[in-house]
Amino acid sequence: MPQRWLQIKGDPSVREFLFHQTRKTSLFDEHLVLIHYIIHTMCTKKGAFHVKAHYSSSQLTCWFYDDPYNYKVYVKEEVLEPGFLDSFPDLSYEGRKPCVSPQQMLLILDEFKRLRFTDEQIYLRSASVNRLNGLIGMNFSCDGSHYIEHDEFFRRLLEFGVVEQEAQAICSLSGN
C-alpha cells in the first residue's frame, strides 16, 4: 500500500443522492454486540486472520490461516445460530505474530459500531480488519472507501468524528 491511509471516492451518483437516503436497520445491527463478539472470537481463537462484516446485508466474509486462498461467506441467521462458533476448531496463527492485539481488536470493533450508528445518512456499510498485517478497510454509504493501517486509524480518530478526549483515551488504550 503506497500510503498509510488511502481514500477512494466511489460512484458519483451514489454521493448525489446521499441525503435522500437513511440507514435501514439490518439483522446484524439488531445483534451487533453478538456479531462483534463472534468477529473477535473468530480472529483471536478460531484462526480467522481477516474478517469483513457486511453490516447492511448481514454477512461475514472470513479468511482462515489454515486455508488462506479460499474465503468463506456466512450469512444472516447462520451467524446467529447457537453453536456457530463451536463449529470451528480452535486454531492459532502457527507462530505468526499478529499486528493487531486482542485488545486493539475490541477497540476497532467499538469504532466500527460508532461509525455504523453515529449518523443516519453517512454510515459504515461494511468494514474489515486483517489481524496479521493490521490493515482496516471501510466502505461508507456515500460509496467512499478507506484503507488504513490500524495504528494510523487510532491516531486519526478525530478525522472520523471522535471528540479529542475520546480519541486520546482510545489511543492510549491501543498503545499509540
Side-chain angles (χ1 to χ4, degrees):
M1 193 162 114
Q3 1 177 352
R4 297 180 65 100
W5 183 4
L6 177 61
Q7 299 178 58
I8 304 166
K9 290 183 179 178
D11 186 342
S13 66
V14 173
R15 289 191 311 276
E16 181 179 330
F17 293 102
L18 176 64
F19 296 106
H20 299 286
Q21 69 175 9
T22 57
R23 181 181 57 79
K24 301 295 182 216
T25 301
S26 71
L27 180 64
F28 273 20
D29 291 338
E30 294 172 355
H31 301 277
L32 198 58
V33 171
L34 176 58
I35 295 300
H36 282 174
Y37 171 78
I38 289 169
I39 292 169
H40 187 267
T41 302
M42 298 285 278
C43 287
T44 58
K45 296 182 180 160
K46 301 297 183 178
F49 66 90
H50 184 109
V51 174
K52 183 172 186 176
H54 304 262
Y55 296 107
S56 296
S57 60
S58 299
Q59 59 183 320
L60 293 179
T61 308
C62 303
W63 286 258
F64 291 90
Y65 186 80
D66 66 338
D67 190 14
Y69 300 112
N70 296 297
Y71 63 84
K72 310 284 190 281
V73 179
Y74 305 99
V75 296
K76 302 188 183 208
E77 292 86 358
E78 173 184 20
V79 177
L80 298 169
E81 281 288 317
F84 175 74
L85 285 172
D86 295 333
S87 69
F88 299 94
D90 288 343
L91 292 173
S92 70
Y93 297 140
E94 298 182 19
R96 297 206 46 171
K97 182 168 175 20
C99 288
V100 180
S101 72
Q103 177 63 25
Q104 289 172 324
M105 276 293 299
L106 291 173
L107 295 170
I108 290 167
L109 293 169
D110 284 347
E111 285 305 303
F112 287 172
K113 179 180 179 182
R114 185 185 63 76
L115 292 168
R116 177 75 180 151
F117 291 120
T118 297
D119 192 290
E120 289 298 311
Q121 291 176 315
I122 301 173
Y123 55 88
L124 189 65
R125 291 182 56 222
S126 63
S128 65
V129 61
N130 185 311
R131 238 188 117 206
L132 289 180
N133 70 15
L135 193 61
I136 292 171
M138 297 175 288
N139 304 96
F140 289 88
S141 57
C142 58
D143 203 33
S145 299
H146 296 259
Y147 301 92
I148 187 168
E149 294 176 17
H150 76 289
D151 54 347
E152 188 71 6
F153 176 72
F154 289 127
R155 283 194 291 275
R156 296 210 180 216
L157 287 175
L158 290 174
E159 295 172 52
F160 287 105
V162 176
V163 296
E164 189 167 354
Q165 295 86 351
E166 288 177 280
Q168 289 172 350
I170 292 167
C171 283
S172 67
L173 287 173
S174 71
N176 290 312

